[in-house]
Structures are given as C-alpha cells and as structure tokens.
Amino acid sequence: MNQLKMIEELCNAYGAPGFEDDVLLLGRKYGADLADIKEDSLRDLYFYRKENTGNKPVVLLDGHSDECAFMVSAIKPNGTIKFIPLGGWTPRDVSAHKVLIRNDEGKWISGIVAAKPVHFMTANERGVLPAIADMVIDVGATSEKEVREDFKISMANPIVPDVTFEYNEKNKVMLAKAFDNRIGCAAVLATMENVKGQDLAVDVVGSWSVQEEVGARGAQVVANVVKPDIAIVFEGCPADDTFYSGCDSQTAMQKGPMLRHIDMKMITNPRFQKFALDLAKKHNIDVQESVRAGGSTNGGPIHIANGSCPVIVIGIPVRYAHSHHCFCSYSDYEKGVQLATEIVKELNESIIKGF
Ligand SMILES: [Zn+2]
C-alpha cells in the first residue's frame, strides 16, 4: 500500500456529507486485500479484518469519510446559484473560493463563490462579509435556463471545494482539502495493514462512517452494527500552532498526533487514554494532549452506544481545518498510525475489561 498515494487520492476525492460514494471506491481499492468489505444504505463502509475469528473482543477503528461541503438550494433568474453549507463553515472561508458542483449527469462543474468587487462596495460594505445565505455561486452562466438546461445543475446537487493535493518532500508536509477526515480514513487502513497476518488477541473492524460533519450520523449506525468492545477514532483535528503558543498551543503540526481528554461530546475514558499515552511513551512516539473546550468527533456517539464503549481519539493536526486549503504533516500521520498499531497489538480481553 503506497500510503502517500492513498492520501492523495482520498483528499482529491469528492465526498460531501450524504454523497461519499467516490471516497468509498477508494476504500474498496485499498481495503480489498485486508478485509471483507460491507456497506449500508447510508454508505457507511465496514472493513472486517480477514483474520477475524468472531469470538474475540472487537476493536473498532473509525474515520469519517465525508468532508465539509455545500448543497445547491436554489437557482436565481440571473443564473447564479444559492447554496447551503453542509458542515461547519464561516463566511470568511467560503467567499471568493473555487468549488465544484456535481450536476445531474455526475459531471463536476467549476464555479466561483461570487464576491462583490471592491469597486462596487460602499464604505459600509468593506470589511464586512455577507452571510453564507446571501452568497451565490457563479458557474459563468447568464440565466436560470442555461444553468438548468446546459449545465444540468439542479436543486440538491452536492458542492465541494476544488483543491488539488500537493506534497513538499523536504518537510513531509501535504497541502490539500479534506484532511478532515481523509487522513483518518487512510489511518484506518494503514493500521489494519500493519497487523495484516498477525495473531491478535482481538478482532478488528474498520469503518469509514458517513455524515460526521452534519452531526456524526453514520457513526451511530456503525456503533449499532459493529457493537465494538473498544474503539479508536481517527480525526483530522484543527491545529492551533499558528495562532497560539506555549501552554495555549495543544495541537501543533509536526509534534505528533493529539489525544484529547475531553471535547463537547465526550470525556475520554481516562483508563484507556492513560494506556494509550503510556504505550506512546514506551515506543517513543511523540504525542500531544489536549483539553478541548469545543469540537467533537465520532467518539461522541460511539462511546455511549451498546451500553458504553471505551474510546480514544487519535487526532492528526490539520492547519486550517474546515477551509479550502489545509496543511497536514505526513510524519504526524505516520506516528498516529504507529500508536494505533501498538494499541491493537497490545489489547486483550482482560485489559479491555479493566477500562
Ligand atoms: Zn472531522
């Protein structure tokens, strides 16, 4: 498995919440040798490790497959397109960016989020961004008829940021859209590959769950279907090191994966968290710890499903998450996968029961 190539293909794939199909094709491509693959009607993808026995505790490795995106809500008479956000966007990160709209024939149409030229702005308009509800996408058409009949664009078509993956070999830093959470999707399969053919004391199921960005919906189904005894959630989580320093920076790029003790939807199982942090120390894997006052992950629904489940989140720092252009360190990713691999190799029934 060429992991860098897999990450490149994953980040370049288009997967608005509810429309993750193109991402799933890559799961089938890269996961076929490792797992028996199943899918549900939401498009959650399940990777059942080929060596599973059916009588050992089940470890779930989860990463969500969707990305922050948009959806066409209306087409105006002048041929511009209204849209709603799918996931957490601020107006600042939407205006003047290039996007792709999937039309009714499945073709991706280039569009620009229209930004009023400075020449037309009143003094009051300068420095103030319109609400996303007041923004439109321009595909270069001049009428509603043209948009509908020539571009084949209609209501509810998904829209994604248009960004192509780049890699800087010198510092091993990647630039792309959608590291949140394609980097986590890659980590699920890379961890499974690391233990391929090995004799484990646990069964392993990977999941690429859908619709995390609109409220962790796929993960609720995944938890019900897999009924994990323990879970590791991989997330592309926002890096803070270009905004904060010292003790206020808890998620820096190039300092290893981040293990959160708390976020808005989960207080991390402190026993499992300590087990993971101790293992990181033992294997000299750089990790960061955080106490998050905001945000949440698929750990939210998974840790309170099926009568409770110990969960940790291995976060790979992503600079400028939930915007078009993001940076992510390949070394941080590698360390996250290494830590998850050591955890999976070490876990057994009595350890899990102790959590
Ligand atoms: Zn995410």
Side-chain angles (χ1 to χ4, degrees):
M1 183 187 289
N2 180 336
Q3 293 184 40
L4 189 61
K5 183 79 186 145
M6 172 172 61
I7 296 168
E8 175 177 355
E9 289 179 37
L10 279 166
C11 289
N12 285 345
Y14 309 132
F19 301 85
E20 296 87 349
D21 305 68
D22 290 354
V23 183
L24 267 57
L25 296 177
L26 295 169
R28 293 186 175 278
K29 172 179 168 182
Y30 285 103
D33 288 347
L34 305 169
D36 297 323
I37 299 175
K38 289 181 187 162
E39 191 177 317
D40 64 32
S41 70
L42 281 181
R43 298 287 187 266
D44 292 308
L45 200 62
Y46 302 83
F47 302 92
Y48 290 85
R49 185 177 186 251
K50 286 196 186 286
E51 299 88 343
N52 282 356
T53 60
N55 52 29
K56 293 175 182 172
V58 174
V59 182
L60 176 69
L61 306 174
D62 176 79
H64 69 84
S65 58
D66 59 318
E67 65 191 288
C68 287
F70 311 94
M71 180 186 272
V72 173
S73 59
I75 300 164
K76 292 171 73 162
N78 69 358
T80 58
I81 297 162
K82 298 188 70 163
F83 59 97
I84 60 162
L86 298 175
W89 288 98
T90 70
R92 184 202 58 198
D93 296 335
V94 178
S95 180
H97 280 292
K98 188 161 177 280
V99 294
L100 293 165
I101 306 176
R102 196 185 75 182
N103 75 3
D104 294 337
E105 294 175 337
K107 291 196 184 113
W108 292 92
I109 309 294
S110 294
I112 298 165
V113 182
K116 195 185 226 185
V118 66
H119 319 65
F120 304 149
M121 284 178 164
T122 63
N124 284 343
E125 281 175 329
R126 293 184 193 209
V128 180
L129 278 165
I132 292 173
D134 296 326
M135 291 182 188
V136 291
I137 292 169
D138 182 349
V139 292
T142 54
S143 70
E144 178 185 355
K145 187 169 180 285
E146 188 182 355
V147 171
R148 289 190 186 278
E149 293 178 9
D150 295 346
F151 287 89
K152 312 277 189 222
I153 289 170
S154 52
M155 188 184 280
N157 287 165
I159 306 163
V160 293
D162 183 13
V163 181
T164 305
F165 180 94
E166 296 174 28
Y167 182 59
N168 183 340
E169 282 177 22
K170 278 193 182 148
N171 61 3
K172 297 179 87 177
V173 169
M174 307 173 280
L175 184 160
K177 68 172 180 64
F179 289 120
D180 174 11
N181 182 38
R182 304 291 157 65
I183 198 73
C185 291
V188 168
L189 293 188
T191 305
M192 292 185 77
E193 186 178 67
N194 280 350
V195 295
K196 188 181 177 186
Q198 291 186 29
D199 192 20
L200 300 176
V202 290
D203 284 348
V204 180
V205 181
S207 60
W208 285 7
S209 44
V210 297
Q211 299 186 36
E212 190 270 351
E213 300 294 357
V214 291
R217 295 172 191 172
Q220 296 180 40
V221 178
V222 167
N224 288 335
V225 169
V226 176
K227 296 187 170 47
D229 294 288
I230 191 162
I232 297 171
V233 170
F234 292 102
E235 253 296 355
C237 57
D240 59 12
D241 56 323
T242 49
F243 306 105
Y244 305 114
S245 59
C247 69
D248 294 325
S249 173
Q250 302 187 334
T251 315
M253 194 173 75
Q254 301 285 36
K255 288 194 176 170
M258 180 274 275
L259 274 67
R260 66 188 60 197
H261 293 279
I262 186 171
D263 63 25
M264 294 292 280
K265 292 279 173 68
M266 182 174 83
I267 296 171
T268 303
N269 180 302
R271 297 160 291 281
F272 186 16
Q273 178 88 335
K274 181 174 188 307
F275 174 83
L277 292 171
D278 287 348
L279 261 187
K281 202 172 202 178
K282 181 179 161 193
H283 292 280
N284 290 315
I285 304 167
D286 298 331
V287 289
Q288 307 175 73
E289 297 172 56
S290 83
V291 169
R292 296 282 314 273
S296 65
T297 73
N298 278 344
I302 294 169
H303 85 293
I304 51 174
N306 303 303
S308 83
C309 173
V311 177
I312 59 162
V313 178
I314 296 183
I316 315 298
V318 175
R319 283 187 179 166
Y320 321 116
H322 289 217
S323 77
H324 270 59
H325 304 97
C326 308
F327 282 123
C328 183
S329 149
Y330 189 77
S331 319
D332 290 342
Y333 159 79
E334 282 182 310
K335 287 169 188 165
V337 170
Q338 191 193 349
L339 177 58
T341 303
E342 298 300 344
I343 292 169
V344 169
K345 282 157 69 174
E346 197 81 11
L347 284 174
N348 61 41
E349 188 168 5
S350 76
I351 289 173
I352 295 169
K353 279 188 175 155
F355 295 152

